[in-house]
Amino acid sequence: VSELNLMVVGNSGVGKTSFIRTLFGTLQLRASALNITPDNRPTSPTSPTSPTTGNGIGTKANGTKDSVGYATGPLERTLNSFEALFEIEESSEKINLTMVDTPGFVGTDEVVDTHCDEILAYLEYQFDLTLAEERKVRRNPKATDNQIHACLYFIDHKGPQLGLSEADIRILKRLGTRVNLIPVIARADTLTRAQTKRMKLAILKDALLDQETPKKGINHAEGEEEDEEEDEEEDEDEDEDDDLDPEILEEKALLQSMTPFTVISQEEGVEVQDEKGNRIQGREFPWGTLNCLDSKHCDLSGLRSALLLSHRSELKEITYGFFYEKYRTERL
């Protein structure tokens, strides 16, 4: 069974929880997934729940929830961070998908920075669990991988500026030192195609203006002092790419061109149907029906494919080989 741990982060009210609920609707649950509750969800014995702060984030998520109930029950505002585990099967492979939902950023710069500190503490705590396991004389071959493999950063496009705000850049800089960052443009149903294109270009431009801000949503961020090392790694990646299936290379190139991803979440409390009467995950408007999984409407389908299929191994390898090793070196 493969493990994949994802976190959603962003301003309050941008649809992070709605995204998880929409993603859940695309998953194929294994039979055992229906029995997971807060009482029997498997957790690491060396990761006790820590007290949360005013922003609701501790070094361990503030408990777990009935994952299926959380994804299908009444939509509630996220006041404390928590983990939701989904035992799924994707392309005949069993995956334990953990989604960490977090409270949104809100308040002054000082409050937001404190909130960011708590997220970083959470990420580093997961590294500490791995470090503690590796220091054991007898390691547990079935130890749970608690590291966060990717953080989806939801960008609110309703701000006064086009692209990333100063707060976005500040947060991305800091989180990009500990985790793979995937920028997501939230609530894309309120953008026209022209606005979407301008928004994506503005975000990429803002990212390129600062070398420490992630340039690609699927790749990890590195600082300027690592440029030479990065060039060497890129050469190695190119050699490895020569051995990959052309179709896989084409899909990866397509996904890279989509970043930052636009997402639209399903309408809550309404059963949406397409023109053929089939139930879909979408939203109804006076002018027609929007399908969240239609690539003509948003990039949700491509983002799902990147996370669960084409880039899952890459995200996990970078998390352990780069972010964890960097943290371990700093600690030793």
Side-chain angles (χ1 to χ4, degrees), residues 183 185 196 200 204 217 251-262 295 298-303 305-306:
I185 300 175
T196 298
K200 285 190 173 187
L204 292 175
E251 182 179 6
K252 284 197 172 188
L254 175 62
L255 289 168
Q256 291 287 3
S257 68
M258 289 182 183
T259 55
F261 293 91
T262 56
S295 59
C298 70
D299 303 324
L300 177 59
S301 179
L303 176 57
S305 176

Side-chain angles (χ1 to χ4, degrees), residues 8-290:
V8 292
V9 171
N11 288 343
S12 179
V14 293
K16 301 183 296 297
T17 302
S18 295
F19 164 78
I20 295 177
R21 290 162 65 91
T22 302
L23 179 65
F24 169 80
T26 72
L27 304 176
Q28 179 181 347
L29 296 181
R30 306 201 302 271
S32 58
L34 300 178
N35 298 321
I36 296 178
T37 68
D39 295 326
N40 63 21
R41 181 194 182 284
T43 57
S44 171
T46 58
S47 57
T49 300
S50 66
T52 58
T53 66
N55 288 319
I57 298 180
T59 51
K60 185 67 178 172
N62 189 29
T64 59
K65 286 193 175 184
D66 173 0
S67 301
V68 175
Y70 152 72
T72 59
L75 178 63
E76 299 177 355
R77 182 182 178 186
T78 303
L79 299 177
N80 295 293
S81 63
F82 64 86
E83 300 170 341
L85 172 67
F86 305 110
E87 293 187 349
I88 66 174
E89 187 167 329
E90 188 71 25
S91 297
S92 300
E93 184 175 1
K94 295 179 179 179
I95 302 174
N96 286 343
L97 172 63
T98 298
M99 300 293 302
V100 181
D101 200 354
T102 64
F105 294 113
V106 63
T108 64
D109 288 346
E110 290 75 14
V111 173
V112 171
D113 287 341
T114 300
H115 191 161
C116 191
D117 288 340
E118 294 160 1
I119 294 175
L120 286 169
Y122 174 89
L123 295 170
E124 292 176 351
Y125 183 72
Q126 314 316 312
F127 291 149
D128 286 334
L129 295 178
T130 302
L131 188 59
E133 182 63 35
E134 291 184 348
R135 286 176 171 174
K136 292 180 179 179
V137 176
R138 293 184 178 180
R139 298 182 184 178
N140 179 7
K142 296 183 179 180
T144 302
D145 179 7
N146 295 291
Q147 297 177 15
I148 300 298
H149 303 122
C151 174
L152 279 64
Y153 184 80
F154 282 67
I155 301 167
D156 189 354
H157 62 78
K158 291 189 175 182
Q161 77 295 321
L162 183 65
L164 299 174
S165 66
E166 291 183 2
D168 288 329
I169 293 175
R170 189 171 69 253
I171 294 168
L172 287 169
K173 273 186 180 182
R174 299 187 64 196
L175 296 184
T177 64
R178 289 291 184 248
V179 68
N180 290 298
L181 286 170
I182 301 178
V184 172
I185 300 175
R187 300 181 295 197
D189 53 313
T190 61
L191 294 171
T192 65
R193 290 182 179 176
Q195 289 173 330
T196 298
K197 184 176 181 180
R198 288 197 296 269
M199 186 68 180
K200 285 190 173 187
L201 290 175
I203 291 173
L204 292 175
K205 181 180 178 180
D206 290 341
L208 288 172
L209 288 176
D210 195 302
Q211 295 297 316
E212 293 182 3
T213 302
K215 305 179 188 66
K216 298 179 181 178
I218 300 299
N219 292 342
H220 60 292
E222 299 183 14
E224 293 181 0
E225 70 278 1
E226 294 168 321
D227 283 346
E228 294 183 2
E229 180 181 344
E230 183 177 301
D231 291 338
E232 294 177 359
E233 290 179 353
E234 287 179 355
D235 292 338
E236 294 177 0
D237 291 341
E238 289 178 359
D239 293 337
E240 292 177 0
D241 286 349
D242 291 339
D243 299 328
L244 294 177
D245 187 295
E247 292 185 2
I248 296 179
L249 291 175
E250 184 177 350
E251 182 179 6
K252 284 197 172 188
L254 175 62
L255 289 168
Q256 291 287 3
S257 68
M258 289 182 183
T259 55
F261 293 91
T262 56
V263 298
I264 300 173
S265 298
Q266 65 190 13
E267 189 169 1
E268 295 287 344
V270 177
E271 183 173 317
V272 181
Q273 298 180 342
D274 61 15
E275 56 186 12
K276 296 181 179 179
N278 298 318
R279 185 175 181 179
I280 62 172
Q281 292 174 276
R283 306 182 76 88
E284 288 186 336
F285 295 92
W287 47 262
T289 301
L290 182 152

